[in-house]
Amino acid sequence: MLKVGLVGCGVIGTEIAKAVDKKIPGLELAAICDKNKAKEDVLIHSLEKMPILATIDGVIERADLVIEAASADVAGELAKKAINKKKDIMIMSIGGMIDHFDLFDEARKRGCRIYFPSGAIAGLDAIKAASEAHIDSVTLETYKSPSGLEGAPYLEEKKIDLRKIKRKTTIFEGSSREAVKAFPKNINVAAVLSFAGIGIDKTRVRIIVDPSLKRNIHHIVVKGNFGKLETRVENVPSPFNPRTSYLAALSAIATLRKITDAVQIGT
Ligand SMILES: NC(=O)c1ccc[n+]([C@@H]2O[C@H](COP(=O)([O-])OP(=O)(O)OC[C@H]3O[C@@H](n4cnc5c(N)ncnc54)[C@H](O)[C@@H]3O)[C@@H](O)[C@H]2O)c1
């Protein structure tokens, strides 16, 4: 049994915990933690096999695989602590890792793994394959309703009032690095796309607000000497957190299944 420790019992953490509890053979949820005690309580009482409630250090101690589903502020520090203890880690707040690339080599040196699920986008399998040759360009266009972007520091900085946007409007264009800094809770997909392809400075990101949207749309275009790839996903947002797409949680669950399965499908 691979012991799993969870940091963050929100929308994604809850879906992951329920899947580990009931659906995925070979995994056991050993410990959980959230800075919000009410979230811990609700989750723990919804599970069949009760994990231990612990501090972040306690979760790392008890787990073979630590899962971060909390916040970009905590991702880097948590990954560092886990890797120092030679534990594997899965990161959901992927944008939080762009100042911690040194940990990639540290994990390789210590023989542990960092997992970055694809999240709410499609095509990383082909992009990884294409990077074995040469990729010229990667562009991500993300379309969200105003509620999917609320609270982002970029809006404050640029004095953008989402309530005043009445039709489709591009509010951001820049590199993936700039996008992740500007929208730390909203554009994790830009970070994972960059890691798979041509990096955070060459990957281009456009964010478009569309008040008529009920779904978060991610449209990716990649060009290289393999040809051209285009993917478009229309994501159902979580009713509890409109910034988070349901597919992001499912992608984490599928990654966990892949870790434990003898049969590996896709790149
Ligand atoms: N990789 C992806 O594709 C993707 C998609 C959506 C969201 N995310 C990211 O995943 C993370 C979780 O998303 P969510 O929708 O579950 O968010 P959420 O707000 O529903 O849940 C986050 C939980 O983490 C807890 N938390 C925050 N900081 C903490 C800390 N320092 N220690 C312990 N607990 C802490 C919060 O109290 C909350 O319960 C977010 O950072 C989000 O940006 C990633």
Side-chain angles (χ1 to χ4, degrees), residues 10-12 34-35 39 69-71 92-93 119 185 188 241 244 248:
V11 168
I12 294 180
D34 196 295
K35 66 178 184 185
K39 293 270 180 86
S71 134
M92 293 311 296
S93 310
K185 291 181 196 284
N188 287 287
N241 181 352
T244 290

Side-chain angles (χ1 to χ4, degrees), residues 68-99:
E68 179 282 324
S71 134
D73 304 338
V74 83
E77 202 46 42
L78 180 62
K80 191 173 177 182
K81 282 185 171 182
I83 291 164
N84 278 338
K85 296 267 179 190
K86 295 195 176 177
K87 305 294 176 95
D88 293 341
I89 180 147
M90 181 196 282
I91 298 286
M92 293 311 296
S93 310
I94 303 177
M97 293 298 285
I98 66 163
D99 294 324

Side-chain angles (χ1 to χ4, degrees), residues 20 28 32 52 78 91 104 106 111 149 163 173 199 225 256:
V20 172
E28 177 191 325
I32 65 166
I52 287 170
L78 180 62
I91 298 286
F104 291 24
E106 198 55 36
L149 291 166
R163 288 165 306 181
E173 277 191 82
N225 59 1
L256 289 174

